[in-house]
Amino acid sequence: MTADETLLARWKEGDREAGMTLISRHYDAITRFFQTKAAREADDLVQRTFLACSEAASRYSGGGTFRAFLFGIARNVLYEHIRRDIRAGKHTDFHALSVADVHPGVSTQAARRAESRFLLRALQLIPIESQIIVELYYWEELSVGELAEALDIPPGTAKSRLHRARQQLKEALEQVPEEASDPRSARLLLAEWLEKLEGHDAMPVR
Amino acid sequence: MHLPSSQPAAPADPTVEREPTSGLEAMLRGVRLRQHGGLARELGMQLLAARLGAAEPPHVGRYRVVSKLGEGGMGVVFRAHDPLLSRDVALKVLRMEGGAEAATRMAAEARSLAAVAHPNVLAVHDVGVDDESAWIVTELVTGGTLREWVSAQTRSWQSIVERFLESARGLATAHRMGLVHRDFKPDNVLIGAEGRARVSDFGLARHQELLTELSAGSPGSSVIEGTASYLAPELLRGVPASAASDQYAFFVSLRELLGDRATGLADDLIAQGTQREPEARFDSMDAVIAELEDLLRPAARLSQPSLEDLVAIGQEATDRQSYLEAALGWVQRVVGYDTALLGRADREGELGPRIEGFEDTLLAQFREAPELYAPPLVGLELASAAARRPVTDTEVLSQRDRSMSAFHADLLGKKGTRVMAVAALAAAGKQLGSLQISRNARGTRFSDREQRLLAAAAPILALGLAAHEPRADEPTDGDVLLLRLWSRGLAVEDIATVTGSSVHAVAERIEDLCARLGGAP
């Protein structure tokens, strides 16, 4: 299989098929990335990410994986969007701000099951930077090294941020408000689910 | 340099040690997002690629996909171009998880839907199915959904009921053909650029359910989750969907979109349409149509009574009692107002708010057709001012004046409605708010014709006066109106005529009031 990097170079030279292949490889992951953070504008943001990617191709050093590079762009696109959206200043602190802060009442319809929605709500309560770290690591299976690249930080820092993000998520899970529309208590479902998942060190569920 | 290619599903870099799996981690990995698969995903991706110059615009059948319009529980809707008929259409790609069997069944039902040709049902042009996907081509309707239409600008209850009446006609036609909608809601009614409502997504909920059943490993029905509030109670008990459950959803939607615009009559219809037992609802959508038509009828008659009619009423009445009767008849005829309520001269303070509701409605309608709606608006304004209490609450009054000021500006700008503008000003002018009645305001005299017309609006004033029981020592609403009419130049004789009092009594009252308010007549 042709490497992403090669495809990117070929696309840059005018090989449309290479561009299409590259897009199709990463379309789902990038869509997921925005679905949980800015669902309503997701299509537009996905497009902006790929556009920025094709434009930034020459700046891509090839020092890391293409995926990390692409998620790095997606993160910038997201932050730019939020800054514009909430008219936040240049120094908006994405280590403090959560999706729930930015878009109160944000939809969690992206998740299929009630338990997943519950978890998604928790993810939207923690700082956006932490949400990104957790999602990229667990859903997109980026390595700590790739995470570091995408976030433009040293691997050691990435590791400690991942640890902190997980702590934040654990705490957030206990603060998630119940939704009236939940067919059953999501908390209960979550507890059952966790039991099934042989989770010895499951976080406490009330 | 050769880096390992990185697929979305690539295993994690084995050189970095992962922490042992915890419950939280297992849970995180268990999250599944709703992502479009199949054709919808393919089209979304190809549209993106086309925009980035990496591909040609995608085609489905003979249709060239132009852009994505939106997505909902049922699937993704694209704008597409039909080169054969040289027109734009809507292409709805449905979520497909049930394989070929489901697709075939869906196609069969879509065909029967295509047979429903009705102006209030979204026209189905074409259907396509293959092993992995199904799509429906319909007319392209660009005005948004009924929900969007209602929130786009101020809508009168009548115009909302009209859209529902149209929807009811669409539903009734489908019901007659044995088709049940199964998922009626404001989001499934599309409004065309010309303002006509079309019911869309007929029967799709059923397919969705079917697909869910047929597809292994997708627990829970997303359809039921999505639109639970419109579901008739019997459906939750497992009774199959029917015309009666569509009717329930119809009325839940009506109640939702009318909000506090709902009048007593609409409330009654909604109550019956949303009865718990299907048998207790209306017999059919045809019965609903008849009721809605009735509901709209008095409002439709607004085009009949004219200013001249009012003049006639005013001139024919010879005494207070006949004024009242004429006024009641007129009010009922013109605004469909609850005669009994007015006649009872409601003492619980219910009258004021209800008249206010009409005021808002009329204001909205007035903006659409000033010539038509000005007379009843003025009449109601008079009645409302007269019936509302306490009138000495200047804060309330100035608030109302503010809301009326836009109306006044509109009114004054319209040729031919100046007379009514004067009357409206007389009814809701700033003087009332501050109770600053002074002789200085007498500068403007009405022309004879204006006086005649103003007098004609007086049945409502008389009605208001009758509805209000004055307390001994404070100026009543009626008193204030009296003063205001007088201060705007209406002759004492005319005031006496329209209020059914003697000239002497009116003059005395005015003098008395002016003295108490610190002015001099």
Side-chain angles (χ1 to χ4, degrees):
Chain A
M1 196 184 337
T2 319
D4 286 346
E5 293 69 24
T6 317
L7 289 173
L8 183 63
R10 285 196 200 149
W11 183 17
K12 200 67 195 156
E13 285 157 17
D15 181 349
R16 286 161 43 134
E17 207 174 309
M20 187 66 217
T21 309
L22 196 63
I23 290 171
S24 65
R25 269 186 200 174
H26 301 286
Y27 179 74
D28 290 341
I30 298 299
T31 304
R32 269 196 297 275
F33 182 88
F34 290 110
Q35 236 185 340
T36 57
K37 302 171 197 74
R40 278 201 305 172
E41 298 87 359
D43 282 337
D44 183 42
L45 297 175
V46 169
Q47 187 180 323
R48 271 199 253 168
T49 301
F50 279 104
L51 188 67
C53 166
S54 70
E55 282 165 357
S58 55
R59 277 193 277 118
Y60 175 55
S61 63
T65 70
F66 175 76
R67 231 149 59 93
F69 171 68
L70 188 59
F71 278 121
I73 294 176
R75 173 174 163 268
N76 288 338
V77 166
L78 176 72
Y79 286 170
E80 194 190 316
H81 165 73
I82 291 173
R83 276 194 203 103
R84 200 177 301 163
D85 202 29
I86 65 173
R87 290 164 213 265
K90 206 174 172 186
H91 302 290
T92 310
D93 187 2
F94 294 103
H95 294 279
L97 211 58
S98 73
V99 165
D101 291 334
V102 180
H103 297 122
V106 65
S107 167
T108 51
Q109 288 303 312
R112 276 175 180 278
R113 297 148 50 112
E115 309 91 285
S116 294
R117 280 202 291 279
F118 191 78
L119 192 66
L120 196 51
R121 283 209 289 281
L123 276 168
Q124 288 165 343
L125 285 178
I126 66 175
I128 298 179
E129 184 80 355
S130 300
Q131 184 187 355
I132 291 177
I133 290 171
V134 168
E135 289 182 4
L136 291 189
Y137 186 78
Y138 288 103
W139 294 357
E140 309 304 340
E141 305 203 317
L142 255 59
S143 67
V144 170
E146 285 176 311
L147 215 50
E149 269 174 59
L151 273 49
D152 200 18
I153 46 176
T157 313
K159 200 163 184 177
S160 62
R161 288 216 184 135
L162 176 63
H163 183 74
R164 197 177 62 201
R166 220 163 23 212
Q167 282 305 321
Q168 288 169 332
L169 182 61
K170 272 189 194 182
E171 285 159 27
L173 275 169
E174 299 192 40
Q175 291 159 14
V176 176
E178 293 274 348
E179 258 184 13
S181 61
D182 285 342
R184 293 171 56 196
S185 164
R187 239 174 254 284
L188 211 67
L189 285 167
L190 203 63
E192 287 172 15
W193 192 23
L194 269 175
E195 224 165 278
K196 267 188 259 164
L197 287 168
E198 52 89 36
H200 305 294
D201 60 344
M203 71 331 140
V205 175
R206 281 176 301 189
Chain B
M1 175 196 74
H2 187 80
L3 286 158
S5 88
S6 37
Q7 292 300 297
D13 185 352
T15 61
V16 178
E17 199 187 323
R18 290 194 169 245
E19 291 176 28
T21 304
S22 70
L24 177 63
E25 292 180 311
M27 201 167 74
L28 275 165
R29 295 212 169 89
V31 170
R32 290 286 171 271
L33 296 184
R34 252 184 248 271
Q35 277 191 297
H36 294 288
L39 186 60
R41 169 182 178 273
E42 197 64 28
L43 291 177
M45 209 165 69
Q46 285 180 11
L47 273 177
L48 168 67
R51 257 184 224 128
L52 298 178
E56 293 299 325
H59 280 74
V60 173
R62 68 169 193 256
Y63 307 96
R64 175 168 51 82
V65 182
V66 179
S67 61
K68 184 166 151 181
L69 291 175
E71 57 188 285
M74 299 298 171
V76 184
V77 187
F78 297 93
R79 185 190 192 107
H81 183 74
D82 178 358
L84 195 65
L85 297 174
S86 185
R87 65 178 176 187
D88 279 5
V89 293
L91 174 87
K92 179 164 258 186
V93 179
L94 301 156
R95 275 177 206 282
M96 283 298 295
E97 284 158 348
E101 190 196 340
T104 312
R105 283 207 235 171
M106 159 137 27
E109 191 132 328
R111 262 177 234 119
S112 65
L113 187 58
V116 185
H118 189 274
N120 299 122
V121 175
L122 189 74
V124 173
H125 296 324
D126 197 0
V127 181
V129 160
D130 62 29
D131 283 359
E132 290 186 335
S133 50
W135 39 269
I136 294 177
V137 177
T138 67
E139 62 173 315
L140 181 68
V141 177
T142 52
T145 68
L146 180 55
R147 184 191 301 285
E148 289 159 357
W149 183 85
V150 166
S151 53
Q153 52 172 283
T154 314
R155 306 283 184 192
S156 65
W157 70 265
Q158 285 94 339
S159 63
I160 294 171
V161 170
E162 276 163 20
R163 299 291 86 73
F164 272 89
L165 177 57
E166 291 166 353
S167 307
R169 291 189 178 121
L171 277 177
T173 306
H175 287 171
R176 274 195 291 276
M177 297 180 70
L179 288 165
V180 176
H181 191 292
R182 303 180 67 100
D183 194 21
F184 185 90
K185 53 183 172 180
D187 314 87
N188 279 341
V189 176
L190 303 178
I191 307 293
E194 81 293 75
R196 174 159 46 89
R198 283 116 159 139
V199 183
S200 76
D201 281 354
F202 252 97
L204 289 189
R206 167 130 169 252
H207 294 295
Q208 222 54 39
E209 238 165 70
L210 190 71
L211 297 184
T212 313
E213 280 167 27
L214 288 172
S215 65
S218 65
S221 163
S222 58
V223 181
I224 290 194
E225 270 170 39
T227 53
S229 52
Y230 303 96
L231 282 187
E234 70 269 19
L235 297 183
L236 301 174
R237 298 197 300 264
V239 175
S242 63
S245 58
D246 275 359
Q247 186 192 133
Y248 181 92
F250 176 89
F251 278 107
V252 172
S253 305
L254 179 62
R255 178 170 57 205
E256 184 187 356
L257 292 201
L258 276 182
D260 46 22
R261 296 183 197 83
T263 62
L265 291 169
D267 278 339
D268 294 346
L269 297 187
I270 291 165
Q272 185 170 349
T274 53
Q275 285 291 310
R276 208 181 153 69
E277 297 307 321
E279 303 77 36
R281 295 172 205 151
F282 294 102
D283 289 344
S284 67
M285 284 312 287
D286 289 322
V288 172
I289 290 169
E291 293 289 346
L292 292 179
E293 282 172 347
D294 265 1
L295 189 64
L296 287 171
R297 196 152 290 137
R301 284 204 204 126
L302 272 173
S303 55
Q304 292 165 14
S306 63
L307 287 179
E308 304 306 326
D309 289 340
L310 290 177
V311 172
I313 291 173
Q315 286 172 340
E316 281 161 23
T318 50
D319 57 19
R320 186 189 172 92
Q321 188 56 36
S322 60
Y323 254 127
L324 283 175
E325 279 164 14
L328 282 170
W330 184 79
V331 168
Q332 189 187 26
R333 204 153 53 92
V334 173
V335 292
Y337 201 72
D338 189 335
T339 316
L341 178 64
L342 274 178
R344 221 187 306 131
D346 167 89
R347 301 265 143 90
E348 281 84 47
E350 207 188 320
L351 191 59
R354 292 197 65 176
I355 291 181
E356 262 173 62
F358 274 111
E359 247 176 57
D360 292 344
T361 303
L362 283 168
L363 259 169
Q365 291 188 334
F366 166 78
R367 289 180 206 289
E368 288 166 19
E371 257 69 26
L372 209 60
Y373 290 92
L377 182 62
V378 170
L380 272 178
E381 172 60 24
L382 288 165
S384 145
R388 197 177 291 125
R389 65 190 110 162
V391 81
T392 42
D393 185 341
T394 53
E395 202 183 327
V396 169
L397 287 169
S398 64
Q399 212 173 7
R400 195 164 52 92
D401 283 351
R402 268 201 299 283
S403 74
M404 287 296 286
S405 65
F407 158 70
H408 291 150
D410 277 355
L411 201 56
L412 287 164
K414 306 282 176 192
K415 203 183 166 191
T417 53
R418 194 178 104 73
V419 170
M420 283 298 112
V422 173
L425 282 168
K430 304 284 181 261
Q431 296 94 329
L432 180 60
S434 56
L435 297 178
Q436 300 278 308
I437 312 284
S438 99
R439 276 183 298 175
N440 301 342
R442 295 201 60 171
T444 322
R445 284 290 303 186
F446 288 98
S447 74
D448 286 349
R449 182 178 150 75
E450 283 166 346
Q451 284 196 34
R452 232 158 46 91
L453 293 174
L454 191 55
I460 313 296
L461 169 61
L463 193 66
L465 292 174
H468 184 78
E469 211 177 6
R471 269 177 286 169
D473 264 326
E474 99 189 31
T476 65
D477 298 4
D479 286 336
V480 174
L481 264 174
L482 205 71
L483 280 173
R484 208 141 45 96
L485 290 175
W486 171 75
S487 72
R488 296 297 293 175
L490 196 66
V492 171
E493 291 77 7
D494 289 335
I495 298 173
T497 311
V498 303
T499 53
S501 318
S502 72
V503 174
H504 176 71
V506 169
E508 203 171 56
R509 191 78 186 137
I510 288 173
E511 203 170 321
D512 177 42
L513 285 166
C514 284
R516 270 172 37 211
L517 292 166

